[in-house]
Amino acid sequence: MTRSPILLIHGGAWDIPADLLEAHEQGVFDALQEGWRVLESGGSALDAVQSAVTSLENDPAFDAGRGSFLTRDGRVQLDALIMDGATLRAGGVACVERIRNPILAARLVLDRSPHVYFVGLGAETFAQSQGMTLIDNSELVLDRERRRLAEAHAREQAGAPDRTFSGHPESDPNETSHDTVGAVALDSEGRLAAATSTGGTLNKDPGRVGDSSLIGCGCYADNTAAAVSLTGWGEPIMKLVLGKWATDKVLAGRSPEQVAPEAMAYLLRRLGGHGGIILLAPDGRYGLAHNTPRMAWGIHTAAGPRTGTLLRDQDENESENS
Ligand code: GLY
């Protein structure tokens, strides 16, 4: 049976300032176009989420690829995961410093390795062995992020509480940015896929890995259940294995429209965590939710694209099928 394809995207969940709203919506819109081009020409959900996330990584507005947050010692370290719901094949990389598009390295892991996950130097060596060109880390670093890191260090030195969400209990979703990106898709053959990519958290310790690239945490896809991508404060999401929690609920018969806001409520209630979620079932039902002031989101169906940066007060409207 031929299905009507669907693509959902997020570009981070936080209190996106007014002067950044347009850039976020535009970035999500561009990524929708890239992913939809694949789906409307009969391509796979896996290729669609890869295209969408590559576009978001290439956009410096987001905390993924070039322009990501810096580690405590001023470097970009990137994490990404891609998963095929039809086969449960997955590919992940973490703590890579010399790869422009970690989602493409993750796809190489999925396609060409018997393993699921590579980190650091091993991930870079694997990607290079598969033909990927390694770059200098400085190519991923923006002056904007050098300034942001310097401000975080100045706050630390002044003894101010660390509100940059690197695991601190006083982390504040209104003050901290979560620009992790992700996509989930359903293709015309009924296959689901998911992809998530991030530069992690501002001022993170080198070697820290968040939820985004960990299977079942920030990303998961299974045709018998659902596809999911999360954004937000990684440590609580990891502790709850929240991506798998959400897809298991759909597998048990709950609707994604209900499960998405429940996942965000659970994250807040259980661990004080904050973030956003996109969740897509194999029958085309979907849910989006966030417990932060805003989330950059986009949906493309046969009816066309829609984007926005606010859902919280519109959950009922935005979780309806088109
Ligand atoms: N959600 C991104 C991270 O915490 O690394």
Side-chain angles (χ1 to χ4, degrees):
M1 184 177 65
T2 304
R3 288 218 171 268
S4 188
I6 299 178
L7 176 64
L8 304 184
I9 287 177
H10 68 75
W14 55 297
D15 192 10
I16 305 169
D19 60 334
L20 298 183
L21 291 176
E22 197 181 325
H24 279 69
E25 269 202 65
Q26 185 64 51
V28 167
F29 181 81
D30 293 345
L32 278 180
Q33 302 303 313
E34 293 295 323
W36 189 253
R37 222 188 313 278
V38 174
L39 291 174
E40 74 174 348
S41 61
S44 69
L46 192 64
D47 287 342
V49 295
Q50 175 188 310
S51 291
V53 170
T54 302
S55 173
L56 293 160
E57 286 177 343
N58 288 338
D59 187 331
F62 302 100
D63 178 33
R66 183 169 171 270
S68 288
F69 291 142
L70 301 182
T71 56
R72 181 173 293 283
D73 59 358
R75 301 176 70 78
V76 166
Q77 275 192 349
L78 303 170
D79 311 332
L81 185 85
I82 186 165
M83 187 158 182
D84 178 7
T87 61
L88 299 190
R89 285 182 306 154
V93 296
C95 293
V96 293
E97 297 190 349
R98 295 184 295 161
I99 291 177
R100 187 175 299 282
N101 290 107
I103 203 66
L104 299 183
R107 179 64 189 267
L108 288 172
V109 175
L110 183 154
D111 282 339
R112 301 190 194 167
S113 169
H115 308 306
V116 169
Y117 205 79
F118 285 81
V119 299
L121 188 59
E124 292 172 358
T125 304
F126 173 78
Q128 191 175 33
S129 76
Q130 301 301 315
M132 189 169 267
T133 302
L134 299 185
I135 60 169
D136 194 87
N137 190 254
S138 61
E139 290 186 43
L140 301 171
V141 178
L142 296 188
D143 282 343
R144 177 193 73 197
E145 296 307 323
R146 288 195 183 96
R147 284 194 296 276
R148 211 195 302 240
L149 182 66
E151 286 163 15
H153 287 170
R155 281 196 300 274
E156 273 182 349
Q157 277 175 0
D162 176 7
R163 299 170 85 86
T164 56
F165 69 84
S166 293
H168 193 283
E170 291 186 46
S171 159
D172 181 345
N174 298 325
E175 293 190 11
T176 54
S177 154
H178 298 281
D179 269 345
T180 293
V181 303
V184 294
L186 173 69
D187 65 30
S188 58
E189 294 186 24
R191 296 170 297 197
L192 289 171
T196 307
S197 182
T198 190
T201 51
L202 171 62
N203 201 19
K204 66 184 179 182
D205 286 324
R208 177 262 188 195
V209 177
D211 63 302
S212 305
S213 66
L214 297 184
I215 196 163
C217 296
C219 187
Y220 196 71
D222 181 348
N223 271 22
T224 67
V228 66
S229 177
L230 286 116
T231 177
W233 180 16
E235 278 74 7
I237 294 171
M238 288 158 71
K239 289 173 190 169
L240 297 175
V241 197
L242 197 56
K244 189 68 163 61
W245 182 95
T247 60
D248 280 351
K249 296 267 184 233
V250 178
L251 179 62
R254 307 288 314 289
S255 76
E257 299 92 321
Q258 292 172 326
V259 172
E262 280 175 16
M264 292 299 99
Y266 175 47
L267 177 64
L268 185 64
R269 186 177 67 246
R270 187 70 180 89
L271 288 173
H274 45 263
I277 184 170
I278 53 178
L279 183 63
L280 175 62
D283 61 6
R285 290 175 305 153
Y286 58 81
L288 304 88
H290 55 102
N291 63 11
T292 49
R294 287 182 184 273
M295 177 170 82
W297 59 269
I299 304 169
H300 209 315
T301 66
R306 284 186 293 153
T307 62
T309 55
L310 197 62
L311 278 167
R312 215 158 59 157
D313 300 324
Q314 308 166 2
D315 277 342
E316 285 179 19
N317 294 337
E318 296 303 345
S319 60
E320 285 171 4
N321 278 331
S322 298

